[in-house]
Amino acid sequence: MAKLNLPVYKKEELEVTVEDLTYQGLGVAKVKGYPLFIKAALPGEKLVVKVEKLGKHFGYAKALKWLTTADNRVKTKAKYLQTGIAPLMHLDYQSQLAFKQKLIKDLLVKAHLDQIEVAKTLGMEQPFAYRNKAQVPVRQVKGQLEIGFFKQGSHDFVALEDFYIQDKRIDQVLLVVRDLLRKYQLNAYDEKSHTGIVRHLMVRRGHYSKQVMVVIVTNTKKLPHATEIARDLQAACPDVISIMHNVNDARTNVILGPQTELLAGQAEITDQLNGLTFKIAAQSFYQVNPVQTERLYQAAIKRAKLTGTETVIDAYCGIGTISLSMAKHAKHVYGVEIVPQAIENAKQNADANKLTNLTFEVGEAESWMANWQKAGIKPDVIMVDPPRKGLTESLIDSATAMAPDKIVYVSCNPATLVRDIKSFMEKGYQVTQPILPVDQFPQTTHVESVTVLTKQK
Ligand code: SAH
């Protein structure tokens, strides 16, 4: 490799001032214009760091000693959580909200879209213990089965009992399951040798219904003592109404395998969102912050300005949570989603809520948009809520070809959002209202937002 002419060298110890925070929550200090990324450091802080890794355009350094600390730094007892579950917990909540707003704004400016405004992030009153879903790794530590988490960007496992941002009841249920796995002497999965039994525990809890689902994910086809574990769990936690077993024997980071069987109780739990009832299966996507999801959907519906006469398409509809919420204010809603189980739930959810003005299809949003266009469906509003990778060009093509008045874009990744806004603008759409960030993930660096794109006359 050619020698790089950098202003710092490896293992150098130096004093720096942090200027900014990356989208991953790392502090940024510049040495003669060369950025160093520093874990746990906040803008405004002066500290002594040790250079660890050097790249062509940026490097990484480790904080050795703080010379000054920022006013918006929060002292946390559970400091280790910051390296995995809650990477922003050292920043006070108001500053977290400002950080998320700025993150979107900075990306827009970088893309020469300075004219697009970003509203203040809609935050939570209680930004802790909010998650309705836990997916925790299970590992063997000093011969004992433990639940815990991985440090940020690594496979370093840390055993844990209080997960801080999860519904407190979920933490309690997790401990009961952990103790049962110990009681029946089940071994945890070992990544290196790809042996052992239990890989992950997934627990979901309905915010309003209080119903709990437990999914035990194993590396083996069978879960030993399944009957006893299910029986003991039901006896200890009567609110656990669904106990499932999922098999995942692949060498992968993906948590759930394709196969899920019922051990006891029922295969789904239900919960409510904005007064509508939803059935949720183990494999279905369901927003993890119920309090903020209600506000997110209300914001999306309000911005779509539905009057009851509109035709709406909800691409990426999941179990139909947005579709049903919109159906109450529209003439007809078409939903598409790639997971068959989720569409099954969506149909059941429409029936259970006595809504008849919905049509759901299983498949890729891209192809169904084209099908609907051929069938002569003319949507007034297209709602998109894609995964982190954002939209494909082909989806943007078919969406704009249908010429809806509005495209409402719920995004969980500002980088792909900004990229996609550019494409929509090239096809005659404009962002006329400020983008609204809604904090779905307090204490983390994740940024969710609602954008409305309007067709230009
Ligand atoms: N709107 C729903 C789900 C949003 S998550 C809610 O708020 O609950 C994104 C969803 O898109 C997931 O359910 C995922 O399974 C689905 N998905 C991913 N790629 C897709 C594609 N190409 N076509 C249709 N759906 C897709």
Side-chain angles (χ1 to χ4, degrees):
M1 200 172 91
K3 205 164 154 42
L4 300 171
N5 196 9
L6 300 174
V8 289
Y9 56 87
K10 212 166 163 181
K11 295 193 178 155
E12 181 180 350
E13 290 183 17
L14 68 164
E15 204 182 299
V16 295
T17 303
V18 178
E19 295 170 24
D20 207 353
L21 211 52
T22 68
Y23 73 96
Q24 295 160 309
L26 303 173
V28 188
K30 283 188 179 152
V31 184
K32 297 198 179 111
Y34 179 79
L36 283 175
F37 298 140
I38 309 150
K39 246 185 208 171
L42 292 176
E45 295 183 334
K46 277 193 171 59
L47 56 164
V48 180
V49 300
K50 183 173 179 179
V51 178
E52 289 194 313
K53 243 199 222 165
L54 291 173
K56 203 170 171 186
H57 302 292
F58 55 84
Y60 291 89
K62 189 179 157 180
L64 294 181
K65 189 180 156 197
W66 269 260
L67 304 172
T68 66
T69 52
D71 293 339
N72 55 7
R73 174 175 282 280
V74 183
K75 280 212 177 74
T76 70
K77 272 191 223 150
K79 211 175 166 191
Y80 52 92
L81 283 178
Q82 199 203 312
T83 64
I85 292 170
L88 272 192
M89 69 188 287
H90 57 312
L91 184 61
D92 84 37
Y93 191 54
Q94 289 312 312
S95 304
Q96 289 183 24
L97 298 177
F99 161 75
K100 294 183 183 192
Q101 178 189 21
K102 181 176 178 288
L103 207 137
I104 303 178
K105 187 70 201 174
D106 287 353
L107 285 165
L108 288 166
V109 171
K110 221 171 145 187
H112 308 292
L113 299 173
D114 309 48
Q115 74 280 13
I116 299 176
E117 287 176 57
V118 184
K120 277 201 164 143
T121 310
L122 195 57
M124 278 188 100
E125 267 139 51
Q126 296 291 334
F128 313 98
Y130 60 85
R131 277 185 72 101
N132 61 9
K133 177 185 175 183
Q135 300 189 107
V136 304
V138 182
R139 292 294 180 269
Q140 214 72 19
V141 181
K142 294 187 185 122
Q144 174 150 269
L145 180 144
E146 300 278 3
I147 55 173
F149 72 102
F150 295 119
K151 286 189 185 168
Q152 204 174 16
S154 82
H155 278 221
D156 291 346
F157 178 84
V158 183
L160 199 67
E161 297 196 335
D162 175 357
F163 289 78
Y164 185 70
I165 59 171
Q166 289 168 191
D167 181 327
K168 289 295 162 215
R169 178 62 186 154
I170 290 183
D171 286 6
Q172 290 169 357
V173 171
L174 279 170
L175 292 179
V176 172
V177 180
R178 181 199 66 183
D179 293 347
L180 286 172
L181 296 174
R182 286 179 182 172
K183 176 180 164 189
Y184 291 102
Q185 299 180 339
L186 269 66
N187 263 333
Y189 176 62
D190 179 72
E191 238 165 329
K192 276 201 191 110
S193 60
H194 195 57
T195 56
I197 302 169
V198 187
R199 287 176 83 134
H200 274 88
L201 298 178
M202 181 177 126
V203 180
R204 256 187 179 146
R205 181 172 190 247
H207 179 72
Y208 293 103
S209 71
K210 314 286 183 218
Q211 296 176 347
V212 180
M213 170 187 279
V214 171
V215 185
I216 303 173
V217 186
T218 63
N219 180 43
T220 46
K221 290 270 179 293
K222 274 199 150 172
L223 172 68
H225 299 285
T227 316
E228 292 91 338
I229 291 169
R231 179 199 62 205
D232 290 4
L233 178 54
Q234 280 180 313
C237 307
D239 51 341
V240 176
I241 63 146
S242 170
I243 307 176
M244 315 284 292
H245 169 216
N246 177 277
V247 179
N248 187 0
D249 54 11
R251 285 182 185 264
T252 166
N253 285 339
V254 178
I255 292 172
L256 293 182
Q259 201 188 321
T260 312
E261 58 157 357
L262 180 67
L263 291 182
Q266 53 201 60
E268 282 131 350
I269 57 167
T270 60
D271 198 24
Q272 282 83 44
L273 271 177
N274 288 325
L276 290 162
T277 300
F278 293 98
K279 264 196 183 168
I280 311 152
Q283 305 271 13
S284 300
F285 174 90
Y286 189 67
Q287 294 277 0
V288 296
N289 186 332
V291 173
Q292 290 297 90
T293 298
E294 291 193 330
R295 303 176 79 186
L296 175 74
Y297 289 178
Q298 283 162 12
I301 290 166
K302 194 171 154 209
R303 280 167 170 71
K305 295 207 174 77
L306 300 178
T307 61
T309 61
E310 294 82 3
T311 299
V312 179
I313 288 180
D314 181 13
Y316 312 91
C317 72
I319 61 167
T321 47
I322 296 181
S323 318
L324 267 64
S325 308
M326 291 200 145
K328 285 187 29 181
H329 308 276
K331 191 170 101 199
H332 200 92
V333 179
Y334 295 84
V336 55
E337 156 68 44
I338 207 157
V339 176
Q341 185 63 47
I343 285 295
E344 222 172 277
N345 285 163
K347 288 179 179 167
Q348 292 165 342
N349 290 333
D351 290 346
N353 289 285
K354 301 195 166 57
L355 290 166
T356 52
N357 57 337
L358 294 122
T359 309
F360 288 108
E361 305 288 357
V362 180
E364 289 201 329
E366 288 83 352
S367 38
W368 272 98
M369 299 282 261
N371 293 347
W372 283 326
Q373 193 188 2
K374 270 188 218 134
I377 290 160
K378 292 194 167 61
D380 302 287
V381 175
I382 295 181
M383 175 78 221
V384 291
D385 182 7
R388 290 186 60 77
K389 63 175 189 258
L391 303 174
T392 55
E393 267 313 309
S394 97
L395 186 121
I396 295 173
D397 284 341
S398 26
T400 49
M402 287 174 153
D405 292 333
K406 287 192 192 67
I407 294 164
V408 182
Y409 192 148
V410 173
S411 157
C412 59
N413 182 352
T416 51
L417 170 71
V418 170
R419 179 199 69 197
D420 295 342
I421 287 176
K422 277 205 119 159
S423 296
F424 278 120
M425 287 174 70
E426 283 160 17
K427 298 192 162 78
Y429 283 79
Q430 288 292 335
V431 179
T432 48
Q433 306 173 43
I435 294 175
L436 177 69
V438 180
D439 195 18
Q440 294 279 82
F441 311 100
Q443 319 305 331
T444 81
T445 52
H446 293 293
V447 184
E448 186 98 6
S449 61
V450 186
T451 302
V452 181
L453 293 133
T454 312
K455 189 174 71 185
Q456 296 308 290
K457 301 269 144 54

Coordinates of all heavy atoms in Angstrom, one line a residue, residues 12-73:
E12 N -0.5 7.5 18.2 CA -0.2 8.9 18.6 C -1.2 9.3 19.7 O -2.4 9.0 19.5 CB -0.2 9.9 17.4 CG 0.1 11.3 17.9 CD 0.1 12.3 16.7 OE1 0.0 11.8 15.5 OE2 0.2 13.5 17.0
E13 N -0.8 10.0 20.7 CA -1.7 10.5 21.7 C -1.7 12.0 21.5 O -0.7 12.7 21.4 CB -1.2 10.2 23.1 CG -1.4 8.7 23.4 CD -1.1 8.3 24.8 OE1 -1.0 9.2 25.7 OE2 -0.9 7.1 25.0
L14 N -2.9 12.6 21.4 CA -3.0 14.0 21.1 C -4.3 14.6 21.7 O -5.2 13.9 22.1 CB -2.9 14.3 19.7 CG -4.0 13.9 18.7 CD1 -3.8 14.7 17.4 CD2 -4.0 12.4 18.4
E15 N -4.3 15.9 21.9 CA -5.4 16.6 22.4 C -6.3 17.1 21.3 O -5.8 17.7 20.3 CB -4.9 17.8 23.2 CG -5.8 18.3 24.3 CD -5.2 19.6 24.9 OE1 -4.1 19.4 25.5 OE2 -5.8 20.6 24.9
V16 N -7.6 16.9 21.3 CA -8.5 17.3 20.3 C -9.7 18.0 20.8 O -10.1 17.8 22.0 CB -8.9 16.1 19.4 CG1 -7.8 15.5 18.6 CG2 -9.7 15.1 20.2
T17 N -10.4 18.7 20.0 CA -11.8 19.3 20.3 C -12.8 18.7 19.4 O -12.6 18.7 18.2 CB -11.7 20.8 20.2 OG1 -10.7 21.3 21.0 CG2 -13.1 21.4 20.6
V18 N -13.8 18.1 20.0 CA -14.9 17.5 19.1 C -15.8 18.5 18.5 O -16.2 19.4 19.2 CB -15.7 16.5 20.0 CG1 -16.8 15.8 19.2 CG2 -14.7 15.4 20.6
E19 N -16.0 18.4 17.2 CA -16.8 19.4 16.5 C -18.2 18.9 16.1 O -19.1 19.7 16.0 CB -16.1 19.8 15.2 CG -14.8 20.5 15.4 CD -14.0 20.7 14.1 OE1 -14.6 20.7 13.1 OE2 -12.8 20.8 14.2
D20 N -18.4 17.6 15.9 CA -19.6 17.1 15.4 C -19.9 15.7 15.8 O -19.0 15.1 16.5 CB -19.5 17.2 13.8 CG -20.9 17.3 13.2 OD1 -21.9 17.3 13.9 OD2 -20.9 17.5 11.9
L21 N -21.1 15.2 15.5 CA -21.5 13.9 15.8 C -21.9 13.1 14.5 O -22.7 13.7 13.8 CB -22.7 14.0 16.8 CG -22.9 13.0 17.9 CD1 -21.7 12.7 18.7 CD2 -24.1 13.4 18.7
T22 N -21.3 11.9 14.3 CA -21.7 11.2 13.0 C -23.1 10.6 13.2 O -23.6 10.5 14.3 CB -20.8 10.1 12.7 OG1 -20.9 9.1 13.7 CG2 -19.3 10.5 12.7
Y23 N -23.6 10.1 12.1 CA -24.9 9.4 12.2 C -24.9 8.2 13.1 O -25.9 7.7 13.5 CB -25.5 9.1 10.8 CG -24.7 7.9 10.1 CD1 -25.3 6.7 10.2 CD2 -23.6 8.1 9.4 CE1 -24.6 5.6 9.6 CE2 -22.9 7.1 8.8 CZ -23.4 5.8 8.9 OH -22.8 4.8 8.3
Q24 N -23.7 7.7 13.4 CA -23.6 6.5 14.3 C -23.4 6.9 15.7 O -23.1 6.1 16.6 CB -22.4 5.6 13.9 CG -22.5 5.0 12.5 CD -21.2 4.6 11.9 OE1 -20.2 5.4 11.9 NE2 -21.1 3.3 11.5
G25 N -23.3 8.3 15.9 CA -23.2 8.8 17.3 C -21.7 8.9 17.7 O -21.4 9.0 18.9
L26 N -20.8 8.9 16.8 CA -19.4 9.0 17.1 C -19.0 10.5 17.1 O -19.5 11.2 16.2 CB -18.5 8.3 16.1 CG -18.7 6.8 16.0 CD1 -17.9 6.2 14.9 CD2 -18.4 6.0 17.3
G27 N -18.2 10.9 18.0 CA -17.7 12.3 18.0 C -16.7 12.5 16.9 O -16.0 11.6 16.5
V28 N -16.7 13.7 16.2 CA -15.7 13.9 15.2 C -14.8 15.1 15.6 O -15.3 16.2 15.9 CB -16.5 14.4 13.9 CG1 -15.5 14.5 12.7 CG2 -17.6 13.5 13.5
A29 N -13.5 14.8 15.5 CA -12.5 15.9 15.8 C -11.7 16.0 14.5 O -11.4 14.9 13.9 CB -11.7 15.6 17.0
K30 N -11.2 17.2 14.2 CA -10.4 17.3 13.0 C -9.0 17.7 13.3 O -8.8 18.6 14.1 CB -11.0 18.3 12.0 CG -12.2 17.6 11.3 CD -12.8 18.5 10.2 CE -14.0 17.8 9.5 NZ -14.9 18.7 9.0
V31 N -8.0 17.0 12.7 CA -6.6 17.4 12.9 C -6.2 17.8 11.5 O -6.1 17.0 10.6 CB -5.8 16.2 13.4 CG1 -4.3 16.6 13.6 CG2 -6.4 15.6 14.6
K32 N -5.9 19.1 11.3 CA -5.6 19.7 10.0 C -6.5 19.2 8.9 O -6.1 18.8 7.9 CB -4.1 19.4 9.7 CG -3.1 20.0 10.7 CD -1.7 20.1 10.1 CE -0.8 20.7 11.1 NZ 0.2 19.8 11.6
G33 N -7.8 19.2 9.2 CA -8.8 18.8 8.3 C -9.1 17.3 8.2 O -10.0 16.9 7.5
Y34 N -8.2 16.5 8.8 CA -8.4 15.1 8.8 C -9.3 14.6 9.9 O -9.0 14.8 11.1 CB -7.0 14.4 8.9 CG -7.1 12.9 8.9 CD1 -7.2 12.2 7.7 CD2 -6.9 12.1 10.1 CE1 -7.2 10.8 7.7 CE2 -6.9 10.8 10.1 CZ -7.1 10.1 8.9 OH -7.1 8.7 8.8
P35 N -10.5 14.0 9.6 CA -11.4 13.6 10.7 C -11.0 12.4 11.5 O -10.7 11.4 10.9 CB -12.8 13.4 10.0 CG -12.5 13.7 8.5 CD -11.0 13.7 8.3
L36 N -11.1 12.5 12.8 CA -10.9 11.3 13.6 C -12.3 11.1 14.3 O -12.9 12.0 14.9 CB -9.9 11.6 14.7 CG -8.4 11.6 14.3 CD1 -7.6 12.1 15.5 CD2 -8.0 10.2 13.9
F37 N -12.7 9.8 14.3 CA -14.0 9.4 14.9 C -13.7 8.9 16.3 O -12.9 8.0 16.4 CB -14.8 8.4 14.1 CG -15.1 9.0 12.7 CD1 -15.1 8.2 11.6 CD2 -15.6 10.3 12.6 CE1 -15.4 8.7 10.3 CE2 -15.9 10.8 11.4 CZ -15.9 10.0 10.2
I38 N -14.5 9.3 17.3 CA -14.2 9.0 18.7 C -15.5 8.5 19.4 O -16.4 9.3 19.5 CB -13.5 10.1 19.5 CG1 -12.4 10.7 18.7 CG2 -13.1 9.7 20.9 CD1 -12.2 12.2 18.9
K39 N -15.5 7.3 19.9 CA -16.6 6.8 20.6 C -16.9 7.6 21.9 O -15.9 8.0 22.5 CB -16.4 5.3 21.0 CG -17.3 4.3 20.3 CD -17.1 2.9 20.8 CE -17.4 1.9 19.7 NZ -17.0 0.6 20.1
A40 N -18.1 7.8 22.2 CA -18.6 8.4 23.4 C -18.2 9.9 23.6 O -18.4 10.5 24.7 CB -18.1 7.6 24.6
A41 N -17.6 10.5 22.6 CA -17.2 11.9 22.7 C -18.3 12.8 22.1 O -19.0 12.4 21.1 CB -15.9 12.2 22.0
L42 N -18.6 14.0 22.7 CA -19.6 14.8 22.3 C -19.1 16.2 21.8 O -18.0 16.6 22.2 CB -20.6 15.1 23.5 CG -21.4 13.9 23.9 CD1 -22.3 14.3 25.2 CD2 -22.3 13.4 22.8
P43 N -19.8 16.8 20.9 CA -19.4 18.1 20.4 C -19.1 19.1 21.5 O -19.9 19.2 22.4 CB -20.6 18.6 19.5 CG -21.2 17.3 19.1 CD -21.0 16.3 20.2
G44 N -18.0 19.8 21.3 CA -17.6 20.8 22.3 C -16.6 20.3 23.3 O -16.0 21.1 24.0
E45 N -16.5 19.0 23.4 CA -15.6 18.4 24.4 C -14.1 18.4 24.0 O -13.9 18.1 22.8 CB -16.0 17.0 24.8 CG -17.4 17.0 25.5 CD -17.9 15.7 25.9 OE1 -17.5 14.6 25.4 OE2 -18.7 15.6 26.9
K46 N -13.3 18.8 24.9 CA -11.8 18.6 24.7 C -11.3 17.4 25.4 O -11.7 17.1 26.5 CB -11.1 19.8 25.3 CG -11.1 21.1 24.5 CD -10.0 22.1 25.2 CE -9.8 23.3 24.3 NZ -11.0 24.1 24.1
L47 N -10.6 16.6 24.6 CA -10.1 15.4 25.3 C -8.7 14.9 24.7 O -8.3 15.4 23.6 CB -11.1 14.2 25.2 CG -11.8 13.7 24.0 CD1 -12.4 12.4 24.3 CD2 -12.8 14.6 23.5
V48 N -8.1 14.0 25.4 CA -6.9 13.4 25.0 C -7.3 12.0 24.4 O -8.0 11.3 25.0 CB -5.9 13.2 26.1 CG1 -4.6 12.5 25.6 CG2 -5.6 14.5 26.8
V49 N -6.9 11.8 23.1 CA -7.2 10.6 22.5 C -6.0 9.8 22.0 O -4.9 10.4 21.9 CB -8.1 10.8 21.3 CG1 -9.4 11.5 21.7 CG2 -7.4 11.6 20.2
K50 N -6.1 8.6 21.7 CA -5.1 7.8 21.1 C -5.5 7.3 19.8 O -6.6 6.6 19.7 CB -4.7 6.6 22.1 CG -3.6 5.8 21.6 CD -3.2 4.7 22.6 CE -2.1 3.8 22.2 NZ -1.7 2.9 23.2
V51 N -4.8 7.5 18.7 CA -5.1 7.1 17.4 C -5.0 5.6 17.3 O -4.0 5.0 17.6 CB -4.2 7.8 16.4 CG1 -4.6 7.3 14.9 CG2 -4.3 9.3 16.5
E52 N -6.1 5.0 16.8 CA -6.1 3.5 16.7 C -6.1 3.0 15.3 O -5.4 2.0 15.0 CB -7.4 3.0 17.4 CG -7.4 3.2 18.9 CD -8.5 2.4 19.5 OE1 -9.6 2.4 19.1 OE2 -8.1 1.7 20.5
K53 N -6.8 3.6 14.4 CA -6.9 3.1 13.0 C -6.9 4.3 12.1 O -7.5 5.3 12.3 CB -8.3 2.5 12.9 CG -8.3 1.0 12.6 CD -9.7 0.7 12.0 CE -10.3 -0.6 12.6 NZ -11.7 -0.7 12.3
L54 N -6.2 4.1 11.0 CA -6.0 5.2 10.0 C -6.5 4.7 8.6 O -6.1 3.7 8.1 CB -4.6 5.7 9.9 CG -4.1 6.4 11.1 CD1 -2.6 6.7 11.0 CD2 -4.8 7.7 11.4
G55 N -7.3 5.6 8.0 CA -7.7 5.3 6.6 C -7.3 6.5 5.8 O -6.7 7.5 6.3
K56 N -7.6 6.4 4.5 CA -7.2 7.5 3.6 C -7.9 8.8 3.9 O -7.3 9.9 3.9 CB -7.6 7.0 2.2 CG -6.8 7.7 1.1 CD -7.1 7.0 -0.2 CE -6.5 7.7 -1.4 NZ -6.9 7.1 -2.7
H57 N -9.2 8.7 4.2 CA -10.0 9.9 4.4 C -10.4 10.2 5.8 O -10.8 11.3 6.1 CB -11.3 9.9 3.5 CG -10.9 9.7 2.1 ND1 -10.3 10.7 1.3 CD2 -11.1 8.7 1.2 CE1 -10.1 10.3 0.1 NE2 -10.6 9.0 0.0
F58 N -10.3 9.2 6.7 CA -10.6 9.4 8.1 C -10.0 8.3 8.9 O -9.6 7.3 8.4 CB -12.2 9.5 8.3 CG -12.9 8.3 7.8 CD1 -13.0 7.2 8.6 CD2 -13.5 8.3 6.5 CE1 -13.7 6.0 8.1 CE2 -14.1 7.2 6.0 CZ -14.2 6.1 6.8
G59 N -10.0 8.6 10.3 CA -9.4 7.5 11.1 C -10.3 7.4 12.4 O -11.3 8.1 12.6
Y60 N -9.9 6.5 13.3 CA -10.6 6.3 14.5 C -9.6 6.5 15.7 O -8.4 6.1 15.6 CB -11.1 4.8 14.6 CG -12.3 4.6 13.6 CD1 -12.0 4.2 12.3 CD2 -13.6 4.9 14.0 CE1 -13.1 4.0 11.4 CE2 -14.6 4.7 13.1 CZ -14.4 4.3 11.8 OH -15.4 4.1 11.0
A61 N -10.1 7.1 16.8 CA -9.2 7.3 17.9 C -10.0 6.9 19.2 O -11.3 6.9 19.2 CB -8.8 8.7 18.0
K62 N -9.3 6.6 20.2 CA -10.0 6.1 21.5 C -9.8 7.3 22.5 O -8.7 7.8 22.6 CB -9.3 4.9 22.0 CG -9.9 4.2 23.1 CD -9.1 3.0 23.4 CE -9.4 2.6 24.9 NZ -8.7 1.4 25.3
A63 N -10.9 7.6 23.2 CA -10.8 8.6 24.3 C -10.0 8.1 25.4 O -10.3 7.0 25.9 CB -12.2 9.0 24.7
L64 N -9.0 8.8 25.8 CA -8.2 8.4 27.0 C -8.6 9.2 28.2 O -8.7 8.7 29.3 CB -6.7 8.7 26.7 CG -6.0 7.8 25.7 CD1 -4.6 8.2 25.6 CD2 -6.2 6.3 26.0
K65 N -8.8 10.6 28.0 CA -9.1 11.4 29.2 C -9.9 12.6 28.7 O -9.5 13.3 27.7 CB -7.8 11.9 29.7 CG -7.9 12.6 31.1 CD -6.5 13.0 31.5 CE -6.6 14.2 32.5 NZ -5.3 14.8 32.6
W66 N -11.0 13.0 29.4 CA -11.7 14.2 29.1 C -11.1 15.4 29.8 O -10.9 15.3 31.0 CB -13.2 14.0 29.5 CG -14.1 13.4 28.5 CD1 -14.9 14.1 27.6 CD2 -14.2 12.0 28.1 NE1 -15.6 13.3 26.8 CE2 -15.2 12.0 27.0 CE3 -13.7 10.8 28.5 CZ2 -15.5 10.8 26.4 CZ3 -14.0 9.7 27.9 CH2 -15.0 9.6 26.9
L67 N -10.8 16.4 29.0 CA -10.3 17.7 29.7 C -11.5 18.6 30.0 O -11.4 19.3 31.0 CB -9.3 18.4 28.7 CG -8.1 17.5 28.3 CD1 -7.3 18.1 27.2 CD2 -7.3 17.1 29.5
T68 N -12.5 18.6 29.2 CA -13.8 19.3 29.5 C -14.9 18.4 29.0 O -14.7 17.5 28.2 CB -13.9 20.6 28.7 OG1 -14.0 20.3 27.3 CG2 -12.7 21.5 28.9
T69 N -16.1 18.6 29.7 CA -17.3 17.8 29.2 C -18.4 18.7 28.8 O -18.5 19.9 29.3 CB -17.8 16.9 30.3 OG1 -18.0 17.7 31.5 CG2 -16.9 15.7 30.6
A70 N -19.2 18.3 27.8 CA -20.3 19.1 27.3 C -21.4 19.3 28.3 O -21.6 18.4 29.1 CB -20.8 18.5 26.0
D71 N -22.1 20.4 28.2 CA -23.2 20.7 29.1 C -24.3 19.7 28.9 O -25.1 19.4 29.8 CB -23.8 22.1 28.9 CG -22.7 23.2 29.3 OD1 -21.8 22.8 30.1 OD2 -22.8 24.3 28.8
N72 N -24.5 19.2 27.7 CA -25.6 18.3 27.4 C -25.2 16.8 27.6 O -25.9 16.0 27.2 CB -26.2 18.6 26.0 CG -25.2 18.5 24.9 OD1 -24.0 18.1 25.2 ND2 -25.6 18.8 23.7
R73 N -24.1 16.6 28.3 CA -23.7 15.2 28.6 C -24.5 14.7 29.8 O -24.7 15.5 30.8 CB -22.2 15.1 28.9 CG -21.8 13.7 29.4 CD -20.3 13.6 29.5 NE -19.6 13.5 28.2 CZ -19.5 12.3 27.6 NH1 -20.0 11.2 28.1 NH2 -18.9 12.3 26.4

